[in-house]
Amino acid sequence: MRGATALPADPVHPADLRADLRANAAVLSGGEVLADYLHGRAGDFLRGLRLYGESGADTEAAAEAARSLRGAARRIGGTLHTYRPLLDAGWADQFRTELMWLSGTLAQEHACAARASRLLGALARLSGAVPQPRTTGAPTPTGTAAAPNPPAAGPDRTLTMGASRAAALLERQLTLARTRAHSATLQALGSSRFHAVADAVAVLASEVPLTAAAEAPAGEVLAGPAEAAERRLREAVTTLPLARAAHPYNADALIHGLAAAAAGEAQDAPWHQVRHLLRLHRYAEEVRSAGSLPDPAPIAAGRTLDHHRDAAEAAAAAANAARTPRIAPATAYALGVLHADQRHEVEAARFAFQQVWQKATVTTR
Amino acid sequence: MRGATALPADPVHPADLRADLRANAAVLSGGEVLADYLHGRAGDFLRGLRLYGESGADTEAAAEAARSLRGAARRIGGTLHTYRPLLDAGWADQFRTELMWLSGTLAQEHACAARASRLLGALARLSGAVPQPRTTGAPTPTGTAAAPNPPAAGPDRTLTMGASRAAALLERQLTLARTRAHSATLQALGSSRFHAVADAVAVLASEVPLTAAAEAPAGEVLAGPAEAAERRLREAVTTLPLARAAHPYNADALIHGLAAAAAGEAQDAPWHQVRHLLRLHRYAEEVRSAGSLPDPAPIAAGRTLDHHRDAAEAAAAAANAARTPRIAPATAYALGVLHADQRHEVEAARFAFQQVWQKATVTTR
């Protein structure tokens, strides 16, 4: 049996070591399993950072590297949160705050790009330009009723022009937001705050400040925090209007579509919270499963709530664009249709989550 | 056994006569059963006309009388169409054209009122003013997520103001349309064309021009035309994208939401056609069943397609209002949201139709 700090810093565990960890789950201490997971994610983080630095003008490689950095930062942060009782609490809390700042900053640029692509794709679909299937909701068979679209004539032209103007407006606004987010990322990665985070992660690759409680066998000591994370998730799910979401076309997501933005946000908040807790639950299980194949149910459920979040933010962006001064009525009309369309994707995502959740109870292992 | 022309003109058949008709379905001729049904509907028509004349300033009584007039006119017209082989064809075709003109004219006023109520109700729901449930789609449990709405603040106010302006605009436009439809109804009811229809209906209450084929027993001679009506319905249903409609949130109904109006209309047409054929089927069965309780399945299916039609027309009215010159962008935005909302009700109605159709095969009796 190796001590936690003696584990290799290399983020990719050789298959034999992972098998070793699983086989010895009962013999290894909680601290050893926890440290092994954190070492792995620290390695992912440092490799992502190196790849980001090497990506240069290759925006695709940069995006992939940033994605990997974000994923590692979120996993480390989540682990520090869930398994806090086994870690130096002050260190864990402070470190986690910094990791959340970092992953939040890194997420912005990606979110802007994804939002632009979602909204412009939806506008193309709504104009009949592209018979593009919807991204969320239940799977749909091919061979749809979407016929090629006749050219607009007479008074129709005003409204179809609105769609292209709305697309131009959104593209302008979201490109600007993306450029800003990109600058913010570059600024963050050059800051002393970031260097302190990177240093702390590098230390994590070799040493994890564990408490005495972490010395107990992994099987005993990891179960409590992991089950607490799952309990928090289940409790949050009980607050969701799932019985209502199970009835398609309930029109709930749009019920405040023309009310104050705060009303829509209040309605979405519990779903966003479940998305957050689902992620913490998944990461907590990753720690315990020590590299074995993850349970697909929380991943599928999480994906529906990712769509929920993306559609909600896209709907807000459409409403926001409609507040631009001096836009043409036809542009505003197109943005209204787009907003409602995205709010229906919000509703579709809730329906899909309910279906996934009902089918698969998230297993405790 | 009484001859067809000897039946009482009174539209409400005494219960014993109806029972008599049913019991003797095998013995009565097709012409007798057909004439009995037409006598009944002619009586309904004449009573509706009398009540309309007596309604005066009581708009509710007038609406009820007009509804009864329309229903009788549609049933007589449908019967002339389906059972044409048993009737003087030239007379049936010409009479049916006149009845369709009349029921079409009478329907306008009611449609304008219903459309205004649907659109203003939807706007109230979208503004969060009224936690009003949707009218179409699957049944939904009570106790919804619709919380009372916080007052709009800051930039939100522009968009919430849009909702009330859109409501004012729609109310103005639909009130004008309703007033015009009311004038058209009064003009139609005072026309010599109408008097000719009323005279023909009055004749129908005592005499129906039957062909020699109608002398055969009802059981034999009514089946062919009734089954043909059902076959036309079933064939039309096979052209509908039902497999697609069965997947909620497929976003089909809005796929051309920002394209030319003709694209949306082309998509709706087969559903409207099924609605029309479903009605003809129902009336054809009413004739055959001679007053016994109607099959609830076609009625339920028809109701979903009524919603489909109403939502499609409401969506078109919202889009049309957005073409009003010099409206504020916020008004146009609200109309865009409203249009998309109603197109989603169209989609919800297709889903509901698919559910009803799948559950209950329309029985031939």
Side-chain angles (χ1 to χ4, degrees):
Chain A
M1 215 169 88
R2 281 165 285 199
T5 53
L7 278 170
D10 188 310
V12 183
H13 303 295
D16 57 344
L17 174 57
R18 284 208 300 271
D20 187 42
L21 275 166
R22 279 201 299 279
N24 296 317
V27 229
L28 286 173
S29 76
E32 282 166 327
V33 171
L34 198 54
D36 177 67
Y37 181 80
L38 288 171
H39 294 167
R41 301 300 77 72
D44 293 347
F45 183 100
L46 297 172
R47 197 169 53 258
L49 187 57
R50 182 165 47 80
L51 289 174
Y52 192 87
E54 289 168 5
S55 63
D58 184 347
T59 52
E60 210 166 296
E64 181 55 32
R67 199 191 63 77
S68 151
L69 253 177
R70 279 202 319 272
R74 280 200 314 261
R75 279 173 168 80
I76 297 169
T79 305
L80 299 182
H81 179 72
T82 303
Y83 295 103
R84 192 173 177 274
L86 308 183
L87 298 161
D88 179 307
W91 167 84
D93 291 347
Q94 199 269 334
F95 192 11
R96 185 176 174 238
T97 306
E98 294 305 287
L99 287 164
M100 281 170 66
W101 159 75
L102 180 64
S103 61
T105 305
L106 290 175
Q108 286 309 313
E109 189 178 348
H110 169 73
C112 287
R115 200 169 303 145
S117 139
R118 167 179 273 271
L119 285 169
L120 298 176
L123 272 177
R125 169 169 52 78
L126 292 169
S127 315
V130 195
Q132 193 172 324
R134 213 156 182 167
T135 50
T136 53
T140 48
T142 50
T144 82
N149 202 33
D156 281 334
R157 205 168 289 150
T158 328
L159 295 188
T160 47
M161 267 173 50
S164 48
R165 282 194 191 181
L169 175 64
L170 284 168
E171 195 153 28
R172 208 158 55 238
Q173 292 187 342
L174 291 168
T175 302
L176 182 65
R178 191 183 176 176
T179 306
R180 279 191 188 138
H182 185 66
S183 302
T185 297
L186 292 182
Q187 205 178 346
L189 292 179
S191 70
S192 56
R193 187 176 181 182
F194 173 72
H195 287 297
V197 178
D199 285 350
V201 172
V203 169
L204 199 66
S206 59
E207 195 160 333
V208 176
L210 300 163
T211 59
E215 284 166 29
E220 285 174 26
V221 86
L222 296 179
E227 282 158 17
E230 191 181 340
R231 198 164 51 246
R232 282 191 291 272
L233 168 65
R234 291 191 178 284
E235 281 167 8
V237 171
T238 62
T239 70
L240 297 178
L242 287 191
R244 177 104 182 140
H247 287 85
Y249 301 109
N250 56 55
D252 264 3
L254 197 56
I255 204 155
H256 293 137
L258 286 171
E265 284 161 22
Q267 189 196 64
D268 297 340
W271 298 87
H272 295 334
Q273 176 65 5
V274 166
R275 176 176 171 272
H276 173 67
L277 294 174
L278 197 50
R279 213 175 221 178
L280 286 176
H281 165 67
R282 258 177 62 207
Y283 299 159
E285 293 302 317
E286 280 181 13
V287 172
R288 288 216 285 173
S289 68
S292 65
L293 274 180
D295 180 6
I299 296 176
R303 204 163 287 145
T304 64
L305 294 181
D306 290 347
H307 287 154
H308 181 272
R309 199 264 324 256
D310 294 348
E313 291 189 350
N320 207 46
R323 292 183 188 99
T324 310
R326 288 180 300 281
I327 55 171
T331 311
Y333 176 81
L335 291 168
V337 171
L338 183 61
H339 172 79
D341 175 69
Q342 292 299 305
R343 289 305 301 175
H344 273 97
E345 291 227 9
V346 166
E347 198 179 296
R350 292 180 188 171
F351 176 74
F353 172 80
Q354 185 277 334
Q355 300 275 93
V356 171
W357 187 262
Q358 195 189 36
K359 261 181 221 156
T361 306
V362 181
T363 53
T364 329
R365 281 159 195 274
Chain B
M1 213 168 86
R2 279 167 286 200
T5 52
L7 278 169
D10 188 308
V12 182
H13 303 295
D16 57 342
L17 174 59
R18 284 207 302 272
D20 186 42
L21 274 167
R22 278 201 298 279
N24 295 316
V27 232
L28 284 174
S29 76
E32 283 167 326
V33 171
L34 198 55
D36 177 67
Y37 182 80
L38 287 171
H39 295 168
R41 300 301 76 72
D44 292 346
F45 184 100
L46 298 171
R47 195 168 57 258
L49 187 59
R50 181 166 47 78
L51 289 174
Y52 192 87
E54 290 168 5
S55 63
D58 184 346
T59 53
E60 211 166 297
E64 182 54 32
R67 199 191 64 76
S68 151
L69 253 176
R70 278 202 320 273
R74 279 200 315 263
R75 280 172 167 81
I76 296 169
T79 304
L80 298 183
H81 179 72
T82 302
Y83 296 101
R84 190 173 178 274
L86 309 183
L87 298 161
D88 179 308
W91 165 83
D93 292 347
Q94 198 268 336
F95 192 10
R96 187 177 173 238
T97 304
E98 294 305 286
L99 287 164
M100 281 170 65
W101 159 75
L102 179 64
S103 62
T105 305
L106 290 176
Q108 287 308 312
E109 188 177 351
H110 169 73
C112 287
R115 199 169 305 145
S117 139
R118 166 179 273 271
L119 285 168
L120 298 176
L123 272 177
R125 169 169 51 78
L126 292 169
S127 316
V130 195
Q132 193 172 325
R134 212 156 182 167
T135 49
T136 53
T140 47
T142 49
T144 85
N149 201 33
D156 283 332
R157 205 168 288 150
T158 327
L159 296 188
T160 47
M161 266 173 50
S164 49
R165 283 195 191 180
L169 176 63
L170 284 168
E171 194 153 27
R172 208 157 56 238
Q173 293 187 341
L174 291 168
T175 302
L176 183 63
R178 190 182 178 177
T179 306
R180 278 189 187 140
H182 184 67
S183 303
T185 297
L186 292 182
Q187 204 177 346
L189 293 180
S191 69
S192 57
R193 187 175 182 183
F194 173 73
H195 287 298
V197 177
D199 285 350
V201 173
V203 170
L204 200 67
S206 58
E207 195 158 332
V208 175
L210 300 164
T211 59
E215 285 165 29
E220 285 174 25
V221 87
L222 296 180
E227 281 158 17
E230 191 182 339
R231 198 165 50 246
R232 281 191 291 273
L233 168 65
R234 290 190 179 283
E235 280 166 9
V237 170
T238 63
T239 71
L240 297 178
L242 286 191
R244 176 103 182 140
H247 286 86
Y249 301 109
N250 56 55
D252 264 3
L254 197 55
I255 203 154
H256 293 139
L258 287 171
E265 284 162 21
Q267 190 195 64
D268 298 340
W271 299 87
H272 294 335
Q273 176 65 4
V274 167
R275 175 175 172 272
H276 173 68
L277 293 174
L278 197 50
R279 212 175 222 179
L280 286 176
H281 164 68
R282 258 177 61 207
Y283 299 159
E285 292 303 316
E286 280 181 14
V287 172
R288 288 215 286 174
S289 68
S292 66
L293 272 181
D295 181 5
I299 295 174
R303 205 162 286 145
T304 65
L305 294 180
D306 289 349
H307 287 154
H308 181 272
R309 199 263 324 256
D310 293 349
E313 292 189 348
N320 207 46
R323 292 184 187 98
T324 310
R326 288 181 298 282
I327 56 170
T331 310
Y333 175 83
L335 291 168
V337 171
L338 183 61
H339 172 80
D341 175 69
Q342 291 300 305
R343 290 303 302 176
H344 273 98
E345 292 227 11
V346 166
E347 199 180 296
R350 292 180 188 171
F351 176 75
F353 173 79
Q354 186 277 332
Q355 300 276 93
V356 171
W357 186 261
Q358 197 189 35
K359 260 181 223 156
T361 306
V362 180
T363 52
T364 329
R365 278 157 197 278

